Amino acid sequence: MDKHSVQSTTSFAARATVLQQALHMKLVGVVVVVAALVASGAAQAKPAPESFAELVDDLLPGVVNISTTQKVEARGPELPQFPPGSPFEDFFKEFFERQGPEGPRRNAQSLGSGFIVSADGYIATNNHVIEDADEITVILHDETELDAELVGHDPKTDLALLKVDTEGRTLPSLQWGDSSATRVGDWVVAIGNPFGLGGTVTAGIVSARARDINAGPYDDFIQTDASINRGNSGGPMFNVDGEIVGINTAIFSPSGGSIGIGFAIPSNLARNVIEQLKTHGHTRRGWLGVRIQTVTDEIAESLGLGDPRGALVASVTGGGPAEDAGLQQGDVILAFDGKDVEEMRNLPRIVAETPIEKSVDVVVWRKGGEEIVKVRVGELDENEPQVASLPEQPESGEALDDLGLSLTGITDDVRKQFDLGEGLDGVVVTDVDQESPAGEKGLRPGDVIIEVGQEPVTTPTEVAERVDEAKDAGRKSVLLLLQRGDDLRFVAIRIDDKG
């Protein structure tokens, strides 16, 4: 080692000593700060577990692999086309008839996960794991293979319930936990059958709650960074107490593999569905009988609601629970059965989970104040629409520059021109300035304005008066009730103040 190297090393050692002393001082300071926080009662994070081994030993026997087989008809080759009378026509026809009209059947197989929910052989999994399967096989932790029957399934929540013959055995069932008690940052453990490898354990934390990934009308997913891959679907997600808090269902991945964004159905939602499938073979959901839409900032302001929240009632189903209870078009549902409705998408799930025939209090915003309406929950027809939408669907009338509209009253000629129903009253939009507030909201010729500011209108003058009233009241927008085709929807339109 040369002189320069020795000097350099010595110099580095000296600097290291100084750094160690400084670091020690810093650490002492940190300890003092932490001690002060503890003494003051500040909240502390729970320490990470040293190992999940003992927990996993207890849980693995309750997790199963699921193998499904679907018989697919392979299409045979088509008969070549020959000119009429060709000698090859009869030859090839006879050949294909001997081969059969279709090719041989082949088996399409897929793998997934599940877990035992009762000792007598009920298995929970995802619907997409067993969908269209002709044969379902459950493989226990000890490699025992059992044929399974489908008890029931629910595509809207992507859940399914299977039943196996236990052959006199008592299966090791798992315990449900309370998913509402999970917090972002809590440790979770996922067990499943990724890529057909068999029982695989991964751990992570709850990354987010109440995720809506457009998988269905009741989306309320728990997001986790625990590694979840293909084949994990239907497997359980546990908390550190060994309770099921979710069912692993989906991943977000451009490659098909885990990138740390996985989604699980909350146990509180799953447990209710699984129990209904076990009891009835299908789901029975609560029904309110309204079509709803999102409360935007403009709608909230036009109703004097303050912050945008709740679900706006666009229409009320005739003969439904809401109509019987006196709920009205234009009400904003703020709470249902003691549960706040923070967003429109929350209401269908809250109602669906409410027991049928139960009488509940519904808090609504109506005419500038809160009211409580008592509703007896009905049973949902799964084909009943819950969310309002505007279907696709134009002599120019009186101009309303504040909104960018031209309007006309309904006459026989107008009714015929726009194909309006005989009993329909309101004001018809005949033209829309696409650069106006109305154009921005998608209004189009042929739309019928039924109400302005929750007051009925039948002439363009009445529309203008309601708009002026909103401006005089200091509103920045005005609420319209529109009908297009057979659909009703509220739209809040900004009022242009042109001085």
Side-chain angles (χ1 to χ4, degrees):
M1 181 178 293
D2 60 26
K3 178 180 178 181
H4 295 290
S5 297
V6 172
Q7 288 179 339
S8 178
T9 304
T10 304
S11 177
F12 175 80
R15 289 198 301 270
T17 301
V18 174
L19 286 172
Q20 288 175 350
Q21 293 173 346
L23 181 59
H24 175 72
M25 295 176 65
K26 290 290 185 182
L27 288 176
V28 170
V30 171
V31 171
V32 171
V33 171
V34 172
L37 287 173
V38 172
S40 65
Q44 301 178 65
K46 294 181 180 179
E50 293 183 3
S51 172
F52 293 106
E54 292 186 7
L55 177 69
V56 170
D57 283 343
D58 293 335
L59 300 178
L60 269 173
V63 183
V64 303
N65 297 339
I66 296 176
S67 174
T68 64
T69 302
Q70 181 182 3
K71 298 187 184 304
V72 180
E73 298 287 352
R75 296 184 61 185
E78 296 182 359
L79 179 67
Q81 297 297 311
F82 298 102
S86 170
F88 294 103
E89 186 174 12
D90 291 338
F91 173 79
F92 278 98
K93 183 178 180 180
E94 181 181 354
F95 173 78
F96 281 111
E97 287 177 348
R98 288 200 306 268
Q99 291 294 109
E102 296 178 342
R105 303 181 76 185
R106 62 181 180 88
N107 292 334
Q109 294 186 319
S110 62
L111 298 171
S113 306
F115 57 94
I116 303 167
V117 293
S118 66
D120 56 348
Y122 284 96
I123 311 289
T125 187
N126 281 140
N127 177 64
H128 75 259
V129 170
I130 52 81
E131 192 172 21
D132 299 325
D134 294 307
E135 298 175 1
I136 305 173
T137 301
V138 169
I139 306 168
L140 303 181
H141 182 59
D142 62 5
E143 303 297 331
T144 300
E145 296 188 8
L146 301 173
D147 292 335
E149 294 183 357
L150 178 63
V151 176
H153 66 119
D154 180 39
K156 289 189 175 181
T157 55
D158 195 16
L159 292 169
L161 182 65
L162 309 176
K163 180 67 168 68
V164 297
D165 183 353
T166 62
E167 301 175 350
R169 300 175 55 179
T170 299
L171 300 185
S173 61
L174 300 173
Q175 299 300 312
W176 293 102
D178 181 6
S179 57
S180 67
T182 61
R183 300 179 303 166
V184 174
D186 281 348
W187 281 99
V188 287
V189 175
I191 303 180
N193 180 29
F195 303 111
L197 295 172
T200 299
V201 181
T202 57
I205 63 169
V206 174
S207 303
R209 292 173 46 87
R211 287 296 199 207
D212 182 357
I213 61 173
N214 296 315
Y218 307 115
D219 279 14
D220 189 35
F221 287 99
I222 297 172
Q223 181 181 327
T224 180
D225 67 349
S227 185
I228 296 174
N229 289 284
R230 292 178 180 176
N232 273 109
S233 289
M237 174 191 288
F238 300 96
N239 60 21
V240 292
D241 295 320
E243 301 169 328
I244 299 168
V245 293
I247 299 179
N248 303 315
T249 297
I251 60 173
F252 176 80
S253 173
S255 63
S258 174
I259 59 170
I261 303 178
F263 301 97
I265 302 168
S267 60
N268 290 4
L269 171 61
R271 183 177 186 177
N272 181 45
V273 172
I274 293 299
E275 289 178 349
Q276 290 190 43
L277 293 177
K278 183 178 180 180
T279 303
H280 307 290
H282 62 275
T283 52
R284 299 181 69 222
R285 294 190 170 95
W287 176 54
L288 182 57
V290 294
R291 301 185 71 187
I292 56 176
Q293 65 181 87
T294 299
V295 179
T296 63
D297 290 335
E298 291 171 330
I299 289 177
E301 194 276 337
S302 67
L303 294 174
L305 184 57
D307 295 332
R309 56 195 172 100
L312 177 62
V313 177
S315 63
V316 179
T317 303
E323 184 184 62
D324 293 343
L327 279 172
Q328 301 174 10
Q329 185 180 69
D331 287 344
V332 178
I333 298 175
L334 302 177
F336 188 92
D337 194 22
K339 303 177 181 68
D340 291 338
V341 181
E342 297 294 337
E343 302 177 46
M344 179 269 288
R345 70 182 184 88
N346 298 148
L347 183 62
R349 177 174 49 80
I350 295 173
V351 174
E353 294 175 352
T354 305
I356 297 166
E357 299 299 329
K358 181 180 180 181
S359 292
V360 302
D361 287 337
V362 180
V363 181
V364 301
W365 182 263
R366 179 186 295 172
K367 303 293 185 181
E370 290 189 7
E371 296 186 20
I372 297 178
V373 179
K374 183 74 87 174
V375 177
R376 182 179 294 275
V377 178
E379 182 173 357
L380 175 66
D381 175 355
E382 293 295 340
N383 295 319
E384 178 69 26
Q386 301 296 302
V387 180
S389 60
L390 284 174
E392 293 297 326
Q393 181 48 340
E395 166 185 307
S396 178
E398 182 176 333
L400 187 61
D401 292 337
D402 287 321
L403 304 184
L405 296 173
S406 293
L407 307 171
T408 187
I410 297 179
T411 64
D412 290 341
D413 289 341
V414 170
R415 200 179 297 276
K416 182 178 179 180
Q417 179 183 357
F418 294 104
D419 192 24
L420 305 178
E422 288 298 326
L424 182 61
D425 292 323
V427 180
V428 181
V429 176
T430 58
D431 194 21
V432 181
D433 178 0
Q434 296 304 314
E435 303 299 323
S436 70
E440 293 173 357
K441 291 296 183 179
L443 270 70
R444 64 185 66 175
D447 289 344
V448 180
I449 301 175
I450 307 295
E451 295 179 0
V452 179
Q454 297 189 296
E455 296 291 338
V457 291
T458 58
T459 68
T461 299
E462 289 178 344
V463 175
E465 289 173 351
R466 300 291 92 77
V467 172
D468 288 341
E469 289 172 2
K471 292 173 66 176
D472 292 343
R475 305 284 191 208
K476 297 179 181 179
S477 57
V478 63
L479 189 66
L480 308 183
L481 175 61
L482 296 180
Q483 178 153 343
R484 182 182 296 170
D486 295 327
D487 203 6
L488 287 167
R489 184 177 179 86
F490 286 98
V491 177
I493 298 182
R494 176 171 45 85
I495 303 173
D496 272 349
D497 187 2
K498 300 183 178 182

